Amino acid sequence: MAKEQGNRQAGNGGSSWRNGPEIPNQFGGDDPVPSYPGEYLGLPKSGPGAQASVARRMGGVVIDWLLCLAAATLITSTTDAWGDAATLTLLLWVAMGILTGWLFARTPGMAVLGMGVARVDAEVPVGFWRAALRTLLTAFIFPAAMVDADGRGMHDRATNTTVILA
């Protein structure tokens, strides 16, 4: 037992708490870890079509949130029919994510940072239902920072999509 713990801590088989949490059942047995995010999806290592980094995607979400916050603040300054600014910000963010994801395969924040949403199972547009489910899962269930070895968020895995560089 002590030797097994020593091996884990030294990185010789097994994992250590220093490696961070793993998504359950992400690796079964001897599956190798990809050498770069998006490798298992067949994406290039860099350039257009490569997997967007978590930091870049978070930047896109911040830009989108600030746009929605500004609009919500403007609206709630003249009426309280839509609730407070925080509630309206979330509602606008969800609406914007669904509509722009469906129509343009990117949100304004993604566009500013040179990213877009793509399906991994076919070379066709994301579509309304995938865009809606992806946005709703992000807003209410899966944090976008929870990613797998390929750098995809859980909401992307559930909808068979990924965020790529444009």
Side-chain angles (χ1 to χ4, degrees), residues 55-80:
R56 188 176 219 154
R57 292 190 336 245
M58 293 296 239
V61 170
V62 168
I63 291 169
D64 292 337
W65 193 264
L66 291 174
L67 287 171
C68 292
L69 177 62
T73 302
L74 238 135
I75 293 168
T76 56
S77 69
T78 59
T79 181
D80 60 357

Side-chain angles (χ1 to χ4, degrees), residues 1-161:
M1 176 92 174
K3 184 177 181 180
E4 184 180 327
Q5 284 180 332
N7 284 341
R8 284 186 185 156
Q9 290 174 351
N12 301 327
S15 63
S16 163
W17 64 271
R18 294 175 295 201
N19 297 334
E22 253 185 36
I23 296 169
N25 298 323
Q26 181 176 347
F27 301 108
D30 296 327
D31 290 344
V33 176
S35 59
Y36 64 89
E39 178 182 17
Y40 288 167
L41 301 172
L43 301 177
K45 188 172 185 174
S46 61
Q51 180 72 36
S53 70
V54 174
R56 188 176 219 154
R57 292 190 336 245
M58 293 296 239
V61 170
V62 168
I63 291 169
D64 292 337
W65 193 264
L66 291 174
L67 287 171
C68 292
L69 177 62
T73 302
L74 238 135
I75 293 168
T76 56
S77 69
T78 59
T79 181
D80 60 357
W82 290 92
D84 63 353
T87 302
L88 187 55
T89 300
L90 177 62
L91 293 174
L92 289 172
W93 184 83
V94 167
M96 181 178 67
I98 292 171
L99 291 174
T100 61
W102 169 42
L103 297 173
F104 308 112
R106 68 190 70 221
T107 65
M110 287 180 184
V112 166
L113 297 179
M115 299 178 290
V117 180
R119 286 180 54 175
V120 295
D121 60 343
E123 291 188 29
V124 295
V126 173
F128 177 78
W129 294 110
R130 262 180 229 266
L133 182 60
R134 185 179 182 280
T135 302
L136 292 171
L137 287 174
T138 303
F140 299 112
I141 299 174
F142 296 130
M146 249 177 68
V147 298
D148 64 8
D150 270 316
R152 289 195 308 163
M154 297 297 92
H155 61 295
D156 282 326
R157 285 182 68 169
T159 57
N160 223 7
T161 59

